[in-house]
Amino acid sequence: MEASRRRTQHGANRANGKDSEQGEQPAQWGRAWEVDWFSLISVIALLCFAPFIVYYFVMACDQYQCSVSQPLLELFRGETTLLSIWARSPSVTWAAAKIYAVWVGFQMFLYMCVPDVTHKFIPGYVGGVQDGARTPAGLINKYEINGLQCWLITHALWYANAQHFHWFSPTILFDNWIPLMWCANILGYAVASFAFAKAYLFPTNSEDCKFTGNIFYNYMMGIEFNPRVGKWFDFKLFFNGRPGIVAWTLINLSFMAKQQELYGHVTNSMVLVNVLQAIYVLDFFWNEAWYLKTIDICHDHFGWYLGWGDCGLYLVYHPVQLSSGHALAVLLLGLVGYYIFRSTNHQKDLFRRTDGSCSIWGGKPAHIECSYRSADGGVHHSKLMISGFWGVARHFNYTGDLMGSLAYCAACGFGHFLPYFYIVYMTILLVHRCVRDEHRCGSKYGKDWKRYTDTVPYRLIPGVF
């Protein structure tokens, strides 16, 4: 959608200490959010209750056969208490803490100490040292792109253990699921707290820090743009992409192993969830260099929102064997969603890399010229593409993402609401991201953004929203 190039310096537009009146000044790039009471209350509620909401759904599977309503009904009728529910749930254990510490430490070692070599022999893969996008302060950070290599090494070791070494059971993640969940929450809050303190005490780049004046909002949404320790350890890239996403496919494999252990077979629904989500994970790591240009890296500051934040679990407790028609429909929905997601992002990436000199859907893509100012005073020009999927809706990649998310849920059948919490969560997340992104773009591009939204009026679903 966007291709940028630096044009002029702020000083060139000033004469005798005053802005030149020739031409309208570009909009200022930066976070456009005002912290109103609704935002403040929402932030505090999420910080306090998000882990317990996740715990509630996991507990419902563990204690109530995935019934979301039964715990509430028993509490209402006085048949149980919150303390008794809590007492029946596993808490943090030393075993889980050691598993989680070894896991995060191993991923950190792969990220920091094993430079990428896969790009040298895998055709088409972009790895190694890559440039990120320009920050609001005008900086361009460098990143070591080795996520695919980390994923391959990790899964090769997992396979070697399952087939030969037998150091641990393939069901280890399922068997320690609730304690591991608490370990992940503790690390999430610890990382967010460290990033919060670091922004005040020793920021990586003070010009890329944003303070709203509200401590809760600063903690939630982040202050520093690209917090780093040393030259290469980038908080955003590591905590968004490594411990969690590398583990995603291992978690699914662990759930699949547990289903095999309990029932003597693996259902087609479990296979579908594993395959569809593995496609998404591999796509992420194959396109990790492209990820450097997404909203997470390009525009979000690093705080609790990025540092903290499963269908497979449900299928362990409720093995669902889908009919051939149902399984085919889920597969098609997932693949079509993935095609839209990947094609839309590819069009944006191609347009950006070629500065619009490419072919989209058989023709030269149309675009809107716009400009913005970075914090260092530099004035830059960009192009907003209005062809291909980006002419259908402003965030059509999210539409594909939501189709894939719905496919994961539909693979679980229609016996319980709990698996569909995922599509509800993803819808809220992506709609909120749309709104945040458009506030930012409105501040960044000003009247040019209004021209763009007039040309492409819908966000996600043409004719609807």
Side-chain angles (χ1 to χ4, degrees):
M1 185 176 71
E2 175 185 325
S4 300
R5 61 186 185 275
R6 185 161 180 164
R7 286 273 312 257
T8 61
Q9 293 295 323
H10 182 52
N13 290 324
R14 287 183 173 270
N16 301 321
K18 296 182 180 180
D19 287 345
S20 171
E21 296 180 358
Q22 295 180 354
E24 186 174 346
Q25 290 295 315
Q28 177 70 45
W29 188 3
R31 187 161 63 194
W33 289 90
E34 296 293 336
V35 187
D36 54 33
W37 280 105
F38 177 77
S39 297
L40 179 60
I41 292 170
S42 300
V43 163
I44 294 173
L46 279 171
L47 287 172
C48 293
F49 298 115
F52 297 100
I53 294 171
V54 175
Y55 163 77
Y56 180 83
F57 286 106
V58 175
M59 177 276 300
C61 268
D62 188 53
Q63 298 183 27
Y64 292 93
Q65 290 297 299
C66 298
S67 172
V68 176
S69 60
Q70 191 62 29
L72 298 176
L73 291 174
E74 289 191 6
L75 286 169
F76 179 76
R77 292 193 290 247
E79 297 173 2
T80 191
T81 64
L82 289 175
L83 288 177
S84 64
I85 291 175
W86 183 263
R88 294 196 298 268
S89 299
S91 59
V92 177
T93 64
W94 279 113
K98 286 186 287 186
I99 292 169
Y100 197 72
V102 169
W103 170 252
V104 175
F106 180 63
Q107 291 305 313
M108 195 173 294
F109 168 78
L110 292 179
Y111 173 63
M112 292 291 294
C113 303
V114 187
D116 186 75
V117 296
T118 55
H119 69 280
K120 296 181 179 180
F121 58 85
I122 299 181
Y125 173 63
V126 179
V129 177
Q130 300 292 327
D131 288 340
R134 180 181 289 109
T135 72
L139 301 178
I140 296 178
N141 292 306
K142 291 188 178 296
Y143 297 83
E144 174 66 44
I145 300 301
N146 61 355
L148 181 63
Q149 177 174 275
C150 295
W151 188 92
L152 290 171
I153 292 173
T154 302
H155 284 70
L157 291 174
W158 178 276
Y159 178 81
N161 171 76
Q163 296 296 319
H164 302 290
F165 299 117
H166 307 295
W167 294 323
F168 52 84
S169 169
T171 66
I172 187 173
L173 299 179
F174 176 88
D175 296 336
N176 294 275
W177 187 239
I178 294 180
L180 286 171
M181 181 195 73
W182 288 123
C183 289
N185 274 279
I186 291 169
L187 179 65
Y189 279 88
V191 168
S193 299
F194 176 79
F196 179 77
K198 179 181 179 301
Y200 284 94
L201 300 176
F202 51 100
T204 303
N205 179 32
S206 59
E207 293 183 1
D208 269 327
C209 291
K210 291 289 184 180
F211 297 90
T212 64
N214 186 288
I215 188 171
F216 295 106
Y217 194 82
N218 285 345
Y219 185 85
M220 173 81 170
M221 300 306 294
I223 298 171
E224 279 202 82
F225 201 76
N226 287 105
R228 290 188 168 199
V229 173
K231 182 179 179 181
W232 293 106
F233 188 80
D234 186 89
F235 278 61
K236 276 186 182 180
L237 186 61
F238 181 76
F239 286 106
N240 284 4
R242 298 310 169 79
I245 298 185
V246 174
W248 190 350
T249 39
L250 293 184
I251 291 167
N252 284 343
L253 289 173
S254 185
F255 291 166
M256 180 184 287
K258 193 66 179 183
Q259 193 181 70
Q260 175 68 39
E261 177 185 291
L262 291 175
Y263 308 109
H265 68 279
V266 175
T267 61
N268 59 0
S269 55
M270 179 67 85
V271 173
L272 271 175
V273 168
N274 270 262
V275 169
L276 291 175
Q277 293 185 354
I279 291 173
Y280 182 91
V281 169
L282 284 170
D283 175 88
F284 174 85
F285 287 122
W286 182 267
N287 295 285
E288 191 175 22
W290 159 83
Y291 179 65
L292 300 178
K293 306 298 193 298
T294 64
I295 182 174
D296 285 348
I297 301 295
C298 288
H299 307 300
D300 282 343
H301 292 249
F302 186 88
W304 181 91
Y305 184 83
L306 291 183
W308 180 85
D310 207 317
C311 299
L313 181 65
Y314 173 86
L315 291 172
V316 173
Y317 290 97
H318 289 274
V320 176
Q321 184 67 27
L322 303 175
S323 67
S324 298
H326 188 163
L328 180 61
V330 169
L331 180 62
L332 288 175
L333 176 63
L335 292 179
V336 170
Y338 171 73
Y339 170 78
I340 292 174
F341 170 80
R342 172 48 38 217
S343 297
T344 306
N345 286 325
H346 173 70
Q347 288 178 358
K348 177 173 68 174
D349 184 56
L350 179 63
F351 181 79
R352 177 188 289 122
R353 285 189 288 106
T354 62
D355 197 29
S357 300
C358 59
S359 176
I360 302 292
W361 287 359
K364 185 176 176 61
H367 64 271
I368 290 176
E369 292 277 357
C370 54
S371 62
Y372 65 93
R373 185 188 303 283
S374 55
D376 64 352
V379 177
H380 311 273
H381 279 202
S382 291
K383 297 176 181 179
L384 299 176
M385 183 168 62
I386 54 175
S387 295
F389 283 120
W390 295 98
V392 175
R394 300 196 292 269
H395 305 275
F396 209 57
N397 52 335
Y398 293 168
T399 305
D401 210 355
L402 289 173
M403 291 172 67
S405 300
L406 181 59
Y408 308 156
C409 301
C412 298
F414 305 103
H416 283 271
F417 166 74
L418 189 144
Y420 291 86
F421 169 74
Y422 184 70
I423 184 63
V424 174
Y425 162 77
M426 286 296 294
T427 301
I428 294 172
L429 174 73
L430 293 181
V431 169
H432 179 251
R433 179 168 291 192
C434 283
V435 175
R436 285 193 303 116
D437 190 35
E438 297 201 357
H439 270 266
R440 179 193 61 80
C441 288
S443 174
K444 180 178 180 179
Y445 296 123
K447 61 181 178 58
D448 293 329
W449 181 253
K450 179 64 167 58
R451 290 166 52 213
Y452 173 67
T453 56
D454 288 344
T455 305
V456 186
Y458 295 104
R459 288 184 169 120
L460 288 173
I461 306 173
V464 179
F465 174 72

